[in-house]
């Protein structure tokens, strides 16, 4: 890795602007657009309230739908009588499970959801029936007229409950009893590793569940045209998967279905499953022959959930005196809620990325996901990785203390090398974690503050890594993950068509900037047509931080192909070879003499005259992972590139109340290559904000004794930080370009959330000497730990046991350094 | 989306017209001022008036005026105006402060003093949608039979959650009520009763017209609020502390707690612990201890209840420390 490629950009949240603190001259050609701070291409419409979200759509003769939801946490449906609802004036149709009997689910292995419950309900809020009526008020009134007779079944309220209670089963598939999935993998002999260690430490930690809380509540509008074509507008992150689910459940050919993802008013993973309400409005439109709209209430968004899995974790690590890890054994128990969703992947993710930060020569992972009678958990920003990262980073903080090492030093000494393969066969490309740690350590004055501040004040450090897109698609296939079509207009405009979905993260802007960079245009002159299954080539969706890398690479390919075509004809006109043609500032010129130029529009006209419409295509398929085919579950974890972050949190703890405040967080993020500085900084600050909520207050409590209802399904009572709780953020952008990224870019949307929770937990310990081994770190937990400390008991609050799970014999996989074939191949290449 | 049900909206121009409109509508009618409490409640079907009578067009309910006998504040005064009013800020800083701590700037722009003082009691088994409440088979406060917070209890324990009410009680404010039977003046403490359903000792037809704050002579008061976040949240504990000074000695004192009962809860023992004494660390600790004992938070608001109870001590102490410091200045 050439030092010259590294660059860091600093910015403070208090608006002091961006200072460029280049760490050397860039070794790559300088960019015109890439790396600048751009306003997002759709920003003005959003801040002026002009953007049309799904709920803003009104079609002529439109009806309104409402969903009746289960009032039982677990019950068989004996009888549903909809006759009185149907008779209500203004009601056009009522659906029940029998009208939509085909199951669906995001993963092929978990097709366990029904648009409306068929014979059983599994949580309070499970969809049971749906009404379309002239107005929302009538539809609401009709819900109350539907009679549902339930035969209650015993409800399971927690993952521990599920382990202990195999009957009644919530689903009749899975691992057995109420365990949905159990994983057991061992990469190298960990017992041998523990035997070689100078210190072996075990810890138990718990990460509470949280929800995405997007500002926009899910909404969808369906239209069934007289020529038998269905159109669905929906606030979804994954129009392609919704397209597939609609075809499956409605038994329509995909060619008759058009899904348009409207701009999402925030999503964070909460809109990446196909949902009941999307299928229901589609069916209602087909049944009534009129457009039908549904807008969920905030409470219903809590029932859609798919948020962070509450996860209990046990970790055991052996280390040498210098902190070198000899082996790690990690166990997780995930509370999955009532359905599969992405849960199988989430389970693997709680064990996948431990290995990509610090070198772990032997690694064992055992994970289990339980079904419970609560809204289903799924992917929330960081998908399955913030929980283990929290556990690991707190665990390392304790190990560093036991070894008498500075936690920053311990981490710096044992970083995974670039261009290497981990024990579980994840290929790490570029890794800027060392620079990230040095940035936050220097910026925060770590060395002067750590263990040196007065009682009540503290600092804590933590690191993390995240994927830049999953290496494999949700359903197995050999096709590209992202496709881009590009059309050049003879007026000089360029339109890019792509299935990727704008969820506020800036994917439209990334497309525009990348195309503008290659073709020398102003990003605001590039039209983006996105997320419409009739118009745009497939992109798998806005999840797993995949869009910038995958769509970006596809866009570069399409744009370069267009550039080659235009260069040929422009070169002919300028009398130079195509390779000497440069694209910049809306002009196409001779690189040797830029005054010799034609406009971009002229170049298009020349090409169009010579060969017809100028249109190109690009697509992207991730490289094959070394893990591929090596073990079951090897599909989860591989990624074209890993981003890295490090954070230092500063906290103030009030000893008499236990209240924790976080005045400031320093965070450095290795984004590979920053494409839009404003968007990258925005994603980092947003991640810190979301992480702070999870660290300090967000939780998903249920009343186990009252039908397992969600205790606080509202924006007021579900506590998430306001601007007043938000800390000051000092952001450092670190750039270690990855060969797989577009211009070297890696992700920024999820990774920076991960170090926040453990950094805060470690800082609380630094401040008052108590360990709160679970998040959220609420005042009552801190105060309890402080009281224990005062009484001379262990100064800790956290879980005390991990339930006995009948783990299957682990699949043994020799790590690359022990695997005969891998070693043989490596030596051949040398 | 959660929709408001249909209703008839009346806009009377005077208190007399309003009372007449309410008498007309009977039990199906309700007054509304800023609507920041009533409308969300109607969406969740806690209150289901067929006729909503707006008080906002009534001149008699506006204004804020200093008189010899104290300050008279019209019930329609918005919390924003109340908190910003120069005389209130100077002479009744605890009132301004409490008003300023309510909710968010947007809600304070709409929310009124009258509405705040008549605010419905709150409970997280109750402040939920109709569908949610159906899943727990409702509760005694609305549509059901049992109190889920205290199942063996004959009464509802929903929590008095107004920020200004404890201050009004502590400083001895008085309320002018006008109803079909004429007008009457009640001391603030007497408007409230410790019952989550019948939390106001006032006839539903009576309008709270104005609030009279006692003359600012020789006493001081402060208000402290405990909540999860610095904005938006209702109090899970409010402490209003009032002292009448006789030089450096406390001639009289009142400690009133919000958020721990169905009414603003005066703790006479806490006041008694201070009377005739200097505000010493020891006396402050004694008062805080007396306030801690009767505070009985239940599991129906944000935060763990035992922690909330412990905080009574810390917050009462904080309030009294503040009073002592202000005296020192
Ligand atoms: C998200 C949110 C957060 C909030 N946070 C807080 C908080 O932190 N602290 C707090 O104290 N409050 C809070 N509130 C409650 C409310 O906004 C305020 O109490 C506000 O002052 C209520 O005034 P209003 O004029 O809007 O009341 P309205 O909704 O108009 O009325 C409330 C009740 O009082 C009755 N009423 C109103 N005026 C009169 C009158 N003159 N005579 C007789 N009856 C009358 C109405 O019939 C109704 O029952 C919050 C509300 C929301 C929605
Ligand atoms: S205190 Fe009891 S009766 Fe009152 S609202 Fe709460 S649960 Fe209902």
């Amino acid at each position: 890795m050439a030092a010259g490629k590294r660059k860091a950009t600093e910015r403070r949240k208090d608006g002091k602007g961006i200072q460029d603190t280049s760490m050397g001259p860039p070794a790559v050609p300088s960019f015109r657009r890439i790396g600048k701070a751009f306003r997002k291409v759709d920003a003005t419409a959003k801040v002026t309230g002009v953007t049309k979200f799904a709920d803003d759509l009104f079609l002529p003769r439109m009806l309104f739908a409402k969903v009746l939801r289960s009032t039982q946490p677990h019950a068989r449906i004996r009888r549903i009588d909809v006759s009185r609802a149907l008779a209500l004036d203004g009601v056009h149709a009522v659906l029940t499970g029998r009208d939509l009997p085909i199951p669906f689910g995001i993963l092929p292995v978990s097709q366990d959801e029904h648009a409306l419950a068929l014979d059983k309900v599994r949580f309070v809020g499970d969809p049971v029936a749906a009404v379309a009526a002239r107005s929302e008020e009538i539809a609401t009134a009709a819900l109350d007229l539907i009679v549902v007779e339930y035969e209650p079944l015993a409800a399971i309220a927690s993952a521990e409950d599920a382990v202990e209670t195999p009957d009644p089963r919530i689903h009749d598939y899975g691992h057995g009893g109420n365990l949905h999935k159990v994983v057991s993998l061992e990469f190298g002999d960990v017992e041998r590793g523990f035997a070689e260690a100078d210190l072996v430490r075990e810890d138990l930690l718990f990460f509470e569940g949280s929800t995405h809380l997007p500002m926009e509540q899910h909404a969808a509008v369906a239209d069934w045209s007289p020529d038998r074509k269905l159109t669905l507008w929906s606030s979804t992150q994954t129009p392609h998967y919704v397209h597939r689910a609609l075809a499956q459940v409605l038994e329509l050919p995909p060619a008759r279905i058009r899904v348009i993802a409207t701009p999402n008013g925030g999503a964070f993973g909460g809109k990446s499953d196909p949902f009941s309400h999307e299928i229901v409005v589609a069916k209602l439109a087909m049944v009534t022959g009129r457009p039908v709209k549904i807008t969920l209430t905030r409470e219903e968004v809590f029932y859609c959930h798919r948020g962070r899995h509450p996860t209990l974790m046990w970790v055991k690590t052996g280390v040498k005196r210098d902190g070198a890890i000899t082996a790690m054994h990690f166990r997780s128990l995930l509370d999955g809620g009532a359905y599969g969703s992405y849960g199988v992947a989430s389970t693997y993710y709680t064990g996948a990325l431990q290995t990509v930060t610090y070198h772990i020569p032997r690694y064992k992972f055992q994970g289990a996901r339980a079904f419970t009678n609560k809204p289903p958990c799924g992917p929330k920003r960081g998908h399955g990785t913030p929980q283990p990262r929290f556990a690991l980073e707190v665990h390392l903080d304790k190990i560093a203390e036991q070894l008498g090492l500075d936690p920053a030093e311990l981490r710096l000494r044992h970083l995974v090398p670039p261009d290497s393969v981990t024990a579980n066969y994840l290929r790490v490309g570029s890794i800027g974690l060392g620079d990230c740690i040095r940035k936050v350590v220097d910026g925060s004055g770590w060395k002067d503050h750590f263990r040196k501040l007065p009682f009540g004040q503290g600092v804590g450090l933590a690191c993390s890594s995240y994927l830049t897109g999953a290496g494999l698609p949700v359903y197995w296939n050999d096709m590209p993950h992202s496709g881009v079509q590009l059309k050049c207009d003879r007026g000089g405009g360029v339109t890019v068509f792509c299935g990727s979905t704008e969820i506020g993260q800036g994917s439209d802007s990334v497309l525009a900037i990348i195309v503008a960079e290659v073709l020398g245009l102003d990003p605001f002159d590039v039209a983006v047509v996105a997320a419409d299954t009739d118009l745009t080539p497939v992109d798998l969706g806005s999840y797993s931080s995949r869009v910038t890398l995958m769509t970006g690479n596809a866009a570069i390919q399409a744009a370069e192909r267009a550039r080659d075509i235009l260069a040929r004809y422009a070169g002919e006109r300028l009398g130079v070879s195509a390779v000497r043609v440069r694209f910049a500032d809306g002009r196409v010129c001779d690189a040797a003499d830029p005054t010799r130029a034609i406009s971009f529009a002229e170049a298009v006209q020349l090409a169009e005259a010579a060969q017809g419409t100028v249109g190109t295509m690009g697509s992207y398929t991730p490289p094959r992972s070394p893990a591929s085919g090596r073990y079951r579950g090897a599909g989860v974890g591989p990624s074209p590139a890993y981003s890295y972050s490090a954070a230092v949190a500063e906290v103030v703890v009030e000893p008499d109340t236990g209240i924790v405040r976080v005045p400031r967080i320093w965070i450095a993020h290795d984004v590979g290559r920053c494409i839009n500085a404003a968007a990258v900084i925005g994603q980092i600050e947003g991640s810190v904000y979301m992480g702070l909520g999870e660290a300090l207050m967000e939780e998903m409590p249920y009343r186990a004794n009252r039908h397992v209802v969600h205790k606080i399904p509202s924006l007021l009572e579900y506590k998430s930080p306001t601007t007043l709780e938000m800390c000051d953020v000092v952001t450092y952008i670190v750039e270690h370009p990855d060969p797989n990224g577009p211009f070297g870019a890696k992700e920024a949307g999820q990774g920076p959330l991960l170090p926040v929770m453990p950094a805060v937990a470690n800082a609380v310990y630094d401040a008052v000497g108590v360990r709160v081994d679970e998040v959220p770190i609420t005042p009552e937990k801190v105060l309890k730990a402080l009281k224990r400390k005062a009484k001379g008991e262990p100064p800790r609050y956290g879980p005390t046991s991990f339930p006995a799970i009948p783990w299957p014999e682990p699949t043994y996989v020799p790590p690359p350094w022990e695997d005969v074939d891998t070693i043989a191949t490596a030596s051949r290449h040398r | 989306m959660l929709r408001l049900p249909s209703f008839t909206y009346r806009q009377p121009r005077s208190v007399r017209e309003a009372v007449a409109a309410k008498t007309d509508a009977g039990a199906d009618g309700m007054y509304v001022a800023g609507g920041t409490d009533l409308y969300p409640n109607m969406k969740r079907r806690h209150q289901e008036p067929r006729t909503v009578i707006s008080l906002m067009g009534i001149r008699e309910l506006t204004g804020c005026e200093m008189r010899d006998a104290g300050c008279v504040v019209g019930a329609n005064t918005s919390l924003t105006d109340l908190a910003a009013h120069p005389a209130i800020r100077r002479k009744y800083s605890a009132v301004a402060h409490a008003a300023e701590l309510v909710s968010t700037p947007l809600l304070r722009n709409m929310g009124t003093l009258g509405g705040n003082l008549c605010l419905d009691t709150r409970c997280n088994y109750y402040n939920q949608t109709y569908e949610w409440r159906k899943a727990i088979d409702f509760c005694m406060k609305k549509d059901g039979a049992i109190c889920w917070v205290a199942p063996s209890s004959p009464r509802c324990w929903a929590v008095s959650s107004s920020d200004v009410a404890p201050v009004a009680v502590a400083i001895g404010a008085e309320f002018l009520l006008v109803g079909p039977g004429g007008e009457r003046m009640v001391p603030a403490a007497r408007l409230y009763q410790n019952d989550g359903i019948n939390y106001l000792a006032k006839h539903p037809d009576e309008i709270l017209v104005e609030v009279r704050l006692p003359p600012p002579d020789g006493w001081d008061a402060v208000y402290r609020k405990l909540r999860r976040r610095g904005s938006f949240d209702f109090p899970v504990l409010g402490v209003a502390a009032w002292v009448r000074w006789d030089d450096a000695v406390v001639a009289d004192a009142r400690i009133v707690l919000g958020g721990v009962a169905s009414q603003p809860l005066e703790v006479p023992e806490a006041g008694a612990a201070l009377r005739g004494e200097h505000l010493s660390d020891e006396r402050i600790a004694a008062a805080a201890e007396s306030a801690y004992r009767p505070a009985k938070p239940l599991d129906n608001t944000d935060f763990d209840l035992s922690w909330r109870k412990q905080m009574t001590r810390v917050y009462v102490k904080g309030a009294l420390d503040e009073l002592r410091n202000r005296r020192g200045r």
Side-chain angles (χ1 to χ4, degrees), chain A residues 376-400:
Chain A
C377 297
K380 180 186 169 190
R381 205 175 196 173
H383 190 190
T385 70
Q387 302 98 317
R389 184 50 63 182
F390 166 72
L392 179 56
E393 296 293 318
V394 170
H395 180 61
L396 276 184
D397 204 60
K398 297 180 183 187
I399 288 176

mmCIF file of all heavy atoms in Angstrom, chain A residues 376-400:
data_model
loop_
_atom_site.group_PDB
_atom_site.id
_atom_site.type_symbol
_atom_site.label_atom_id
_atom_site.label_comp_id
_atom_site.label_asym_id
_atom_site.label_seq_id
_atom_site.Cartn_x
_atom_site.Cartn_y
_atom_site.Cartn_z
ATOM 1 N N PRO A 376 -40.939 -9.641 13.862
ATOM 2 C CA PRO A 376 -39.710 -10.259 13.383
ATOM 3 C C PRO A 376 -38.529 -9.295 13.341
ATOM 4 O O PRO A 376 -38.664 -8.144 12.953
ATOM 5 C CB PRO A 376 -40.059 -10.725 11.968
ATOM 6 C CG PRO A 376 -41.334 -10.055 11.614
ATOM 7 C CD PRO A 376 -42.015 -9.652 12.862
ATOM 8 N N CYS A 377 -37.370 -9.808 13.736
ATOM 9 C CA CYS A 377 -36.140 -9.036 13.612
ATOM 10 C C CYS A 377 -35.517 -9.315 12.254
ATOM 11 O O CYS A 377 -35.867 -10.282 11.591
ATOM 12 C CB CYS A 377 -35.176 -9.421 14.715
ATOM 13 S SG CYS A 377 -35.813 -9.027 16.345
ATOM 14 N N GLY A 378 -34.603 -8.458 11.861
ATOM 15 C CA GLY A 378 -33.993 -8.627 10.547
ATOM 16 C C GLY A 378 -32.766 -7.770 10.431
ATOM 17 O O GLY A 378 -31.978 -7.676 11.359
ATOM 18 N N PRO A 379 -32.614 -7.112 9.280
ATOM 19 C CA PRO A 379 -31.403 -6.329 9.079
ATOM 20 C C PRO A 379 -31.617 -4.867 9.467
ATOM 21 O O PRO A 379 -32.409 -4.166 8.879
ATOM 22 C CB PRO A 379 -31.181 -6.435 7.569
ATOM 23 C CG PRO A 379 -32.565 -6.603 6.991
ATOM 24 C CD PRO A 379 -33.448 -7.178 8.062
ATOM 25 N N LYS A 380 -30.917 -4.407 10.470
ATOM 26 C CA LYS A 380 -30.859 -2.968 10.728
ATOM 27 C C LYS A 380 -29.404 -2.557 10.558
ATOM 28 O O LYS A 380 -28.511 -3.299 10.972
ATOM 29 C CB LYS A 380 -31.334 -2.646 12.147
ATOM 30 C CG LYS A 380 -31.277 -1.142 12.448
ATOM 31 C CD LYS A 380 -31.602 -0.802 13.904
ATOM 32 C CE LYS A 380 -31.254 0.654 14.170
ATOM 33 N NZ LYS A 380 -31.317 1.028 15.581
ATOM 34 N N ARG A 381 -29.206 -1.422 9.941
ATOM 35 C CA ARG A 381 -27.878 -0.812 9.761
ATOM 36 C C ARG A 381 -26.780 -1.571 10.532
ATOM 37 O O ARG A 381 -26.734 -1.508 11.748
ATOM 38 C CB ARG A 381 -27.948 0.630 10.225
ATOM 39 C CG ARG A 381 -26.924 1.529 9.594
ATOM 40 C CD ARG A 381 -27.187 2.950 10.037
ATOM 41 N NE ARG A 381 -26.494 3.916 9.193
ATOM 42 C CZ ARG A 381 -26.664 5.225 9.280
ATOM 43 N NH1 ARG A 381 -27.505 5.725 10.137
ATOM 44 N NH2 ARG A 381 -26.016 6.045 8.497
ATOM 45 N N GLY A 382 -25.942 -2.272 9.804
ATOM 46 C CA GLY A 382 -24.889 -3.063 10.446
ATOM 47 C C GLY A 382 -25.221 -4.545 10.484
ATOM 48 O O GLY A 382 -24.378 -5.361 10.831
ATOM 49 N N HIS A 383 -26.412 -4.872 10.133
ATOM 50 C CA HIS A 383 -26.977 -6.217 10.049
ATOM 51 C C HIS A 383 -26.196 -7.333 10.756
ATOM 52 O O HIS A 383 -25.302 -7.951 10.168
ATOM 53 C CB HIS A 383 -27.163 -6.601 8.572
ATOM 54 C CG HIS A 383 -27.956 -7.872 8.419
ATOM 55 N ND1 HIS A 383 -28.081 -8.520 7.230
ATOM 56 C CD2 HIS A 383 -28.657 -8.604 9.310
ATOM 57 C CE1 HIS A 383 -28.823 -9.601 7.391
ATOM 58 N NE2 HIS A 383 -29.186 -9.671 8.650
ATOM 59 N N GLY A 384 -26.554 -7.593 11.996
ATOM 60 C CA GLY A 384 -25.981 -8.737 12.706
ATOM 61 C C GLY A 384 -24.554 -8.537 13.183
ATOM 62 O O GLY A 384 -24.025 -9.377 13.900
ATOM 63 N N THR A 385 -23.920 -7.430 12.792
ATOM 64 C CA THR A 385 -22.520 -7.250 13.193
ATOM 65 C C THR A 385 -22.299 -6.250 14.344
ATOM 66 O O THR A 385 -21.279 -6.357 15.031
ATOM 67 C CB THR A 385 -21.620 -6.863 11.995
ATOM 68 O OG1 THR A 385 -21.949 -5.532 11.577
ATOM 69 C CG2 THR A 385 -21.797 -7.808 10.828
ATOM 70 N N PRO A 386 -23.220 -5.299 14.596
ATOM 71 C CA PRO A 386 -22.965 -4.400 15.740
ATOM 72 C C PRO A 386 -22.949 -5.145 17.069
ATOM 73 O O PRO A 386 -22.181 -4.787 17.968
ATOM 74 C CB PRO A 386 -24.145 -3.419 15.691
ATOM 75 C CG PRO A 386 -24.581 -3.424 14.264
ATOM 76 C CD PRO A 386 -24.377 -4.843 13.809
ATOM 77 N N GLN A 387 -23.785 -6.192 17.185
ATOM 78 C CA GLN A 387 -23.833 -6.918 18.460
ATOM 79 C C GLN A 387 -22.484 -7.581 18.753
ATOM 80 O O GLN A 387 -21.888 -7.330 19.810
ATOM 81 C CB GLN A 387 -24.964 -7.960 18.447
ATOM 82 C CG GLN A 387 -26.366 -7.380 18.191
ATOM 83 C CD GLN A 387 -26.797 -7.523 16.754
ATOM 84 O OE1 GLN A 387 -26.019 -7.297 15.835
ATOM 85 N NE2 GLN A 387 -28.055 -7.871 16.521
ATOM 86 N N PRO A 388 -21.967 -8.456 17.866
ATOM 87 C CA PRO A 388 -20.676 -9.078 18.172
ATOM 88 C C PRO A 388 -19.544 -8.061 18.244
ATOM 89 O O PRO A 388 -18.596 -8.234 19.011
ATOM 90 C CB PRO A 388 -20.454 -10.050 17.013
ATOM 91 C CG PRO A 388 -21.340 -9.590 15.926
ATOM 92 C CD PRO A 388 -22.530 -8.980 16.608
ATOM 93 N N ARG A 389 -19.647 -6.999 17.468
ATOM 94 C CA ARG A 389 -18.578 -5.993 17.508
ATOM 95 C C ARG A 389 -18.555 -5.322 18.875
ATOM 96 O O ARG A 389 -17.494 -5.092 19.443
ATOM 97 C CB ARG A 389 -18.812 -4.973 16.370
ATOM 98 C CG ARG A 389 -17.742 -3.945 16.224
ATOM 99 C CD ARG A 389 -16.324 -4.477 16.164
ATOM 100 N NE ARG A 389 -16.033 -5.329 15.022
ATOM 101 C CZ ARG A 389 -14.849 -5.922 14.813
ATOM 102 N NH1 ARG A 389 -13.835 -5.717 15.659
ATOM 103 N NH2 ARG A 389 -14.669 -6.695 13.770
ATOM 104 N N PHE A 390 -19.740 -5.060 19.412
ATOM 105 C CA PHE A 390 -19.835 -4.497 20.760
ATOM 106 C C PHE A 390 -19.157 -5.448 21.758
ATOM 107 O O PHE A 390 -18.300 -5.048 22.544
ATOM 108 C CB PHE A 390 -21.317 -4.285 21.119
ATOM 109 C CG PHE A 390 -21.581 -4.026 22.577
ATOM 110 C CD1 PHE A 390 -21.229 -2.812 23.154
ATOM 111 C CD2 PHE A 390 -22.177 -4.994 23.375
ATOM 112 C CE1 PHE A 390 -21.463 -2.572 24.506
ATOM 113 C CE2 PHE A 390 -22.415 -4.762 24.725
ATOM 114 C CZ PHE A 390 -22.053 -3.554 25.289
ATOM 115 N N ALA A 391 -19.526 -6.725 21.662
ATOM 116 C CA ALA A 391 -18.973 -7.710 22.594
ATOM 117 C C ALA A 391 -17.452 -7.764 22.463
ATOM 118 O O ALA A 391 -16.721 -7.704 23.457
ATOM 119 C CB ALA A 391 -19.580 -9.081 22.321
ATOM 120 N N LEU A 392 -16.997 -7.852 21.239
ATOM 121 C CA LEU A 392 -15.569 -8.027 20.996
ATOM 122 C C LEU A 392 -14.756 -6.826 21.484
ATOM 123 O O LEU A 392 -13.698 -6.978 22.114
ATOM 124 C CB LEU A 392 -15.355 -8.244 19.490
ATOM 125 C CG LEU A 392 -13.937 -8.432 18.990
ATOM 126 C CD1 LEU A 392 -13.273 -9.585 19.707
ATOM 127 C CD2 LEU A 392 -13.946 -8.701 17.486
ATOM 128 N N GLU A 393 -15.246 -5.632 21.203
ATOM 129 C CA GLU A 393 -14.467 -4.430 21.528
ATOM 130 C C GLU A 393 -14.456 -4.142 23.030
ATOM 131 O O GLU A 393 -13.483 -3.594 23.551
ATOM 132 C CB GLU A 393 -14.991 -3.229 20.736
ATOM 133 C CG GLU A 393 -14.834 -3.382 19.217
ATOM 134 C CD GLU A 393 -13.388 -3.373 18.744
ATOM 135 O OE1 GLU A 393 -12.614 -2.546 19.253
ATOM 136 O OE2 GLU A 393 -13.033 -4.204 17.872
ATOM 137 N N VAL A 394 -15.523 -4.519 23.733
ATOM 138 C CA VAL A 394 -15.532 -4.352 25.186
ATOM 139 C C VAL A 394 -14.619 -5.412 25.809
ATOM 140 O O VAL A 394 -13.821 -5.135 26.708
ATOM 141 C CB VAL A 394 -16.978 -4.457 25.732
ATOM 142 C CG1 VAL A 394 -16.976 -4.536 27.258
ATOM 143 C CG2 VAL A 394 -17.808 -3.253 25.272
ATOM 144 N N HIS A 395 -14.747 -6.616 25.290
ATOM 145 C CA HIS A 395 -13.923 -7.750 25.722
ATOM 146 C C HIS A 395 -12.429 -7.407 25.568
ATOM 147 O O HIS A 395 -11.627 -7.619 26.476
ATOM 148 C CB HIS A 395 -14.333 -8.922 24.824
ATOM 149 C CG HIS A 395 -13.647 -10.220 25.039
ATOM 150 N ND1 HIS A 395 -13.704 -10.909 26.230
ATOM 151 C CD2 HIS A 395 -12.910 -10.997 24.189
ATOM 152 C CE1 HIS A 395 -13.022 -12.046 26.109
ATOM 153 N NE2 HIS A 395 -12.526 -12.119 24.892
ATOM 154 N N LEU A 396 -12.059 -6.821 24.434
ATOM 155 C CA LEU A 396 -10.662 -6.453 24.200
ATOM 156 C C LEU A 396 -10.199 -5.360 25.152
ATOM 157 O O LEU A 396 -9.035 -5.339 25.581
ATOM 158 C CB LEU A 396 -10.469 -5.961 22.765
ATOM 159 C CG LEU A 396 -10.244 -7.009 21.679
ATOM 160 C CD1 LEU A 396 -9.990 -6.314 20.353
ATOM 161 C CD2 LEU A 396 -9.066 -7.924 22.025
ATOM 162 N N ASP A 397 -11.110 -4.454 25.484
ATOM 163 C CA ASP A 397 -10.787 -3.382 26.428
ATOM 164 C C ASP A 397 -10.415 -3.997 27.782
ATOM 165 O O ASP A 397 -9.478 -3.554 28.446
ATOM 166 C CB ASP A 397 -12.009 -2.463 26.578
ATOM 167 C CG ASP A 397 -11.627 -1.075 27.044
ATOM 168 O OD1 ASP A 397 -10.852 -0.416 26.323
ATOM 169 O OD2 ASP A 397 -12.098 -0.642 28.124
ATOM 170 N N LYS A 398 -11.167 -5.031 28.157
ATOM 171 C CA LYS A 398 -10.894 -5.700 29.445
ATOM 172 C C LYS A 398 -9.576 -6.472 29.364
ATOM 173 O O LYS A 398 -8.805 -6.493 30.324
ATOM 174 C CB LYS A 398 -12.032 -6.669 29.773
ATOM 175 C CG LYS A 398 -13.380 -5.974 29.963
ATOM 176 C CD LYS A 398 -14.456 -6.990 30.296
ATOM 177 C CE LYS A 398 -15.815 -6.336 30.414
ATOM 178 N NZ LYS A 398 -16.842 -7.265 30.897
ATOM 179 N N ILE A 399 -9.345 -7.104 28.221
ATOM 180 C CA ILE A 399 -8.101 -7.854 28.046
ATOM 181 C C ILE A 399 -6.909 -6.901 28.115
ATOM 182 O O ILE A 399 -5.920 -7.170 28.804
ATOM 183 C CB ILE A 399 -8.120 -8.621 26.702
ATOM 184 C CG1 ILE A 399 -9.089 -9.802 26.808
ATOM 185 C CG2 ILE A 399 -6.718 -9.082 26.309
ATOM 186 C CD1 ILE A 399 -9.279 -10.583 25.523
ATOM 187 N N ALA A 400 -7.033 -5.755 27.440
ATOM 188 C CA ALA A 400 -5.931 -4.785 27.449
ATOM 189 C C ALA A 400 -5.626 -4.365 28.876
ATOM 190 O O ALA A 400 -4.462 -4.271 29.280
ATOM 191 C CB ALA A 400 -6.300 -3.566 26.596
#
